[in-house]
């Protein structure tokens, strides 16, 4: 008996199936090749391996920045009404948008504090809105500028502290300003398994190190100090990235600066917003900057200049002169 012949449609289905299988096989081969290449690169670059693991653990959707903006609008709407509000560092790129939103949300007083000059966009927005937002230009490192600002119920500070060589000092100054709540947004680094509270100092990274970070921060040149060489232009050190903090390090930095973290929003492995209340460890643990000088003067208070011991005369005389001038 003659075997039945396959139909034309059956042969077509088989051919299509084989074509699809070959396509899948090629794709699998390419993926395998990429995986092998990636693993080889990671074996040669522990920093890259660490950053890629964090990226796989916390994949980022295309809507990440819209979610960040939406959440920040919600936080301002919740925190600002009826409270004094300080927007610290809110001039660059956004020209006071957070300050204006706080005002529109019913804040009792709003101040925008920044080291930058007021931008034309800020001035125009202020005019169009008939706004009462105040602008104060100064440096968050400057204790005199902080004292002049006074106190605020809510302090909003995003995109600032990682540009500072002295982030703990800046957070302590934020504590001097805040009476209730701090919202702090910052670039972060992923946690390193087995090592708590890690920080990375970016200036001086090798070219390979900068290349690894650049793959997760928009490419070379986006962030001087981290993804490209440190910008040594005079007066421009704050344009650089100085520090990367792990979330656990940031929590402790805040705690030992007088804050208790209440909420965290990790949008990507590299960006975190924190809501913290006044609390934590009392900042009384830090001696005032003039404590040592005060002890010197007290120790020799009963001695006229002519009777001062030779080893102390120079400093005591200089301190007495400054004191007489009210300095």
């Amino acid at each position: 008996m003659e075997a039945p012949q396959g139909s034309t449609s059956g042969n077509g289905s088989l051919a299509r199936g084989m074509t699809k299988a070959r396509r899948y096989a090629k794709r699998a081969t390419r993926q395998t090749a990429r995986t092998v290449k990636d693993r080889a690169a990671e074996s040669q670059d522990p920093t890259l391996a660490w950053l890629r693991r964090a990226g796989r653990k916390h994949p980022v959707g295309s809507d990440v920045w819209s979610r960040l903006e939406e959440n920040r609008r919600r936080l301002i709407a919740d925190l600002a009404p009826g409270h004094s509000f300080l927007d610290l560092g809110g001039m660059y790129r956004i020209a006071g948008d957070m300050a204006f939103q706080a005002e529109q949300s019913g804040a009792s007083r709003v101040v925008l504090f920044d080291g930058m000059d007021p931008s034309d966009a800020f001035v125009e927005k202020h005019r169009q809105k008939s706004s009462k937002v105040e602008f104060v230009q100064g440096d968050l490192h400057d204790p005199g500028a902080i004292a002049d600002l006074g106190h605020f119920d809510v302090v909003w500070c995003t995109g600032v502290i990682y540009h500072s060589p002295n982030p703990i000092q800046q957070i302590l100054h934020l504590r001097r300003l805040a009476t209730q709540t701090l919202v702090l947004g910052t670039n972060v680094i992923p946690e390193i398994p087995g090592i708590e509270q890690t920080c990375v100092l970016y200036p001086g990274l090798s070219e390979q190190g900068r290349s690894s970070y650049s793959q997760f921060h928009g490419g070379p040149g986006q962030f001087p100090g981290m993804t490209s060489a440190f910008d040594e232009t005079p007066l421009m050190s704050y344009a650089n990235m100085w520090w990367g903090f792990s979330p656990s390090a940031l929590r402790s930095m805040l705690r030992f600066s007088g804050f208790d973290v209440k909420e965290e929003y990790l949008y990507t492995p590299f960006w975190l917003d924190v809501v913290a209340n006044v609390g934590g460890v009392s900042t009384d643990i830090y001696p005032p900057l003039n404590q040592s000088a005060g002890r010197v003067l007290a120790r020799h208070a009963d001695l006229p200049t002519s009777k001062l011991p030779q080893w102390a005369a120079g400093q005591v005389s200089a301190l007495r002169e400054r004191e007489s001038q009210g300095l």
Side-chain angles (χ1 to χ4, degrees):
M1 185 166 125
E2 187 176 338
Q5 301 294 312
S7 68
T8 302
S9 59
N11 289 337
S13 297
L14 178 61
R16 285 194 296 274
M18 292 178 67
T19 299
K20 188 177 294 186
R22 285 193 293 269
R23 188 162 57 244
Y24 288 151
K26 289 180 179 178
R27 184 181 304 165
T29 300
R30 288 195 297 269
Q31 289 173 344
T32 300
R34 281 197 298 269
T35 301
V36 171
K37 183 178 180 181
D38 288 346
R39 288 178 177 171
E42 292 175 12
S43 69
Q44 299 296 318
D45 186 345
T47 299
L48 181 62
W50 160 58
L51 296 173
R52 282 181 173 173
R53 281 195 299 271
R56 289 191 290 266
K57 184 178 179 180
H58 194 299
V60 176
S62 59
D63 64 339
V64 60
W65 301 119
S66 61
R67 288 191 292 106
L68 178 149
E69 291 174 3
E70 180 180 354
N71 191 52
R72 288 182 174 180
R73 286 194 295 269
R74 179 189 63 80
L75 288 172
I76 290 177
D78 289 345
L79 295 171
H83 293 107
S84 55
F85 189 99
L86 174 65
D87 176 12
L88 202 154
M91 186 65 71
Y92 182 61
R93 288 189 175 179
I94 58 174
D97 282 347
M98 299 297 100
F100 292 128
Q101 184 182 333
E103 181 181 47
Q104 293 163 5
S105 296
S108 58
R109 179 192 178 209
V110 181
V111 174
L112 170 58
F113 179 82
D114 203 298
M116 292 180 58
D117 296 342
S119 67
D120 292 343
F122 169 79
V123 172
E124 180 59 22
K125 290 176 186 178
H126 199 280
R127 184 192 65 79
Q128 290 181 353
K129 297 174 183 292
S130 298
S131 175
K132 295 183 179 179
V133 169
E134 304 166 49
F135 175 68
V136 177
Q137 189 164 4
D139 189 332
L140 182 54
H141 296 92
D142 181 358
I146 300 308
D148 290 343
L149 276 172
H151 301 98
F152 296 83
D153 300 323
V154 180
V155 174
W156 182 279
C157 179
T158 63
V160 173
I161 65 167
Y162 51 86
H163 288 297
S164 169
N166 303 302
I168 289 285
Q169 180 194 36
Q170 288 202 331
I171 298 175
L172 286 168
H173 283 177
L174 293 173
R175 175 62 187 85
R176 288 175 58 185
L177 293 164
T179 60
Q180 296 182 18
T181 305
L182 168 69
V183 178
L184 184 69
T186 181
N187 178 268
V188 292
I189 59 171
E191 299 286 355
I192 297 179
I195 305 178
E196 298 178 2
Q197 301 183 185
T198 53
C199 297
V200 171
L201 177 66
Y202 291 128
L205 282 176
S206 66
E207 186 176 348
Q208 177 175 303
R210 295 195 300 267
S211 175
S212 296
Y213 283 105
S214 73
Q215 294 186 37
F216 298 87
H217 292 86
Q222 292 295 314
F223 296 98
M226 177 177 67
T227 65
S228 60
F230 189 90
D231 183 352
E232 299 182 17
T233 304
L235 307 181
M236 291 299 293
S237 73
Y238 297 165
N240 291 280
M241 300 286 284
W242 278 88
W243 289 98
F245 322 102
S246 65
S248 60
L250 185 64
R251 287 182 209 112
S252 284
M253 291 166 69
L254 287 163
R255 179 170 178 263
F256 284 90
S257 300
F259 291 103
D260 282 325
V261 174
K262 296 301 181 184
E263 302 170 34
E264 293 184 2
Y265 302 95
L266 187 66
Y267 305 102
T268 82
F270 310 104
W271 192 268
L272 177 67
D273 282 352
V274 169
V275 180
N277 292 342
V278 168
V281 175
S282 172
T283 56
D284 290 345
I285 63 174
Y286 301 104
L289 296 179
N290 64 353
Q291 175 179 272
S292 294
R295 292 172 65 183
V296 171
L297 288 170
R299 186 164 57 243
H300 301 287
D302 297 331
L303 294 176
T305 301
S306 62
K307 298 292 185 180
L308 290 171
Q310 181 275 333
W311 51 265
Q315 182 183 18
V316 175
S317 297
L319 288 172
R320 287 176 175 176
E321 177 65 20
R322 289 184 62 189
E323 192 174 55
S324 69
Q325 297 176 7
L327 301 177

